[in-house]
Amino acid sequence: MTALLDVRDLRVEFRTRDGVAKAVNGVSYSVAPGETLAVLGESGSGKSVTAQAVMGILDSPPGHVTGGEIFFQGQDLLKLGREERRRVRGARMAMIFQDALSALNPVLSVGEQLGEMFRVHRGMSKWEAKSKAVELMDRVRIPAGRQRVNDYPHQFSGGMRQRIMIAMALALEPDLIIADEPTTALDVTVQAQVMDLLAELQREFNMGLILITHDLGVVADVADRIAVMYAGRIVETAPVHDLYRRPAHPYTRGLLDSIPRLDRKGRELYAIKGLPPNLMAVPAGCPFHPRCPRARDVCRTDPPPLCTVTGPGLTVSRGAGDAGGTGGAGRTSACHFWKDELHA
Ligand code: ADP
Ligand code: MG
């Protein structure tokens, strides 16, 4: 099985007056056609910057890709010119952002914005494009699409706007969608509806989906695999159910223990102590060691490599995985003491 997307050892730096922030520090992950990869981590761990580098929309300067490869359908995107890159975006990969109100154009009607995708990329007439826009509005279950196609973004609710963003992303039937905190700004009930819709359309179109979130609770039902990021690195990858059942990194366990759970009602919610590091001054050794309940001397000096995690009762790799933690059902952890964590 060839990967749809294969990110290898990606590095991104932000060079500012205050110094150099290594926002992405050797990240590798892959997504198979039709697969959903959740990328999880606290705010500031480099999830969005990785996605922006993949999409080719990095804020540059100050951001610079300083290393790595981004293979998409076998082609290294970092070797493409501006114009070629722009053609991949929209048609073959699309992004959904957290904040639809600032991502949508406030002075164009929803129909015009959806229709533009078809006019620009498919050369359709205005009339054809509008009927396609209505079709898309139906697809994402916006009620009364035909009546509402001339309305402006601010006339829709937050949940409906997020559906419009999904419609925009789906318009050209891309092979990969990156959804960056797509439901974070919504009410809990609307969150679930939008997430269900996204998962349903992803299955129907057999798209690869990267779902970025800081909320483990959101991804349990929709993701196939999870990659956990900390301080610009991937610290654990695993099939979603394995990770929930038996995390192999103390950071992942900390995230799991901080989800509110019905069966632990009344108990005080756990919070990982301390704060994520400033990316201009990441601690030596394992970047998580100052916050880690398992930290020992070696953790303060030696950066842990991403190890293959094996053990009885874990999902066996289906063959597409590799020790670099980039695919398949295999597991990896960047902890010196992953065995202790796994058996804790
Ligand atoms: P998150 O995991 O919350 O999505 P980001 O990927 O957005 O985190 O950001 C990771 C880090 O990259 C930030 O903590 C910051 O140090 C740096 N960064 C991101 N965007 C910029 C920017 N436009 N200018 C300077 N630094 C940035
Ligand atoms: Mg982000």
Side-chain angles (χ1 to χ4, degrees), residues 74-199:
Q75 187 175 39
D76 186 356
L77 297 180
L78 294 175
K79 296 214 164 78
L80 297 183
R82 248 195 152 80
E83 186 52 31
E84 289 171 296
R85 202 74 197 274
R86 204 184 54 81
R87 255 179 276 145
V88 171
R89 200 159 52 236
R92 286 159 62 198
M93 58 165 75
M95 193 147 168
I96 298 168
F97 299 92
Q98 173 180 332
D99 180 5
L101 202 51
S102 59
L104 295 169
N105 188 331
V107 299
L108 290 181
S109 74
V110 162
E112 282 170 307
Q113 290 182 66
L114 287 171
E116 193 174 67
M117 304 291 288
F118 298 105
R119 288 194 294 112
V120 172
H121 289 269
R122 297 278 187 265
M124 288 185 188
S125 70
K126 237 182 155 154
W127 183 84
E128 280 176 306
K130 190 173 258 186
S131 84
K132 278 292 217 181
V134 173
E135 216 177 274
L136 272 177
M137 289 171 80
D138 289 343
R139 266 242 124 102
V140 296
R141 293 197 224 104
I142 296 174
R146 195 165 296 284
Q147 287 80 51
R148 301 211 63 187
V149 68
N150 296 320
D151 287 357
Y152 292 85
H154 74 266
Q155 294 173 285
F156 291 85
S157 68
M160 287 297 152
R161 276 199 294 268
Q162 212 57 12
R163 287 170 192 263
I164 295 164
M165 285 263 282
I166 293 173
M168 296 268 285
L170 284 175
L172 304 175
E173 303 191 11
D175 301 302
L176 176 70
I177 287 199
I178 303 179
D180 192 351
E181 311 261 5
T183 63
T184 301
L186 306 175
D187 295 342
V188 175
T189 46
V190 182
Q191 254 181 26
Q193 291 161 5
V194 170
M195 195 55 75
D196 288 347
L197 173 73
L198 188 59

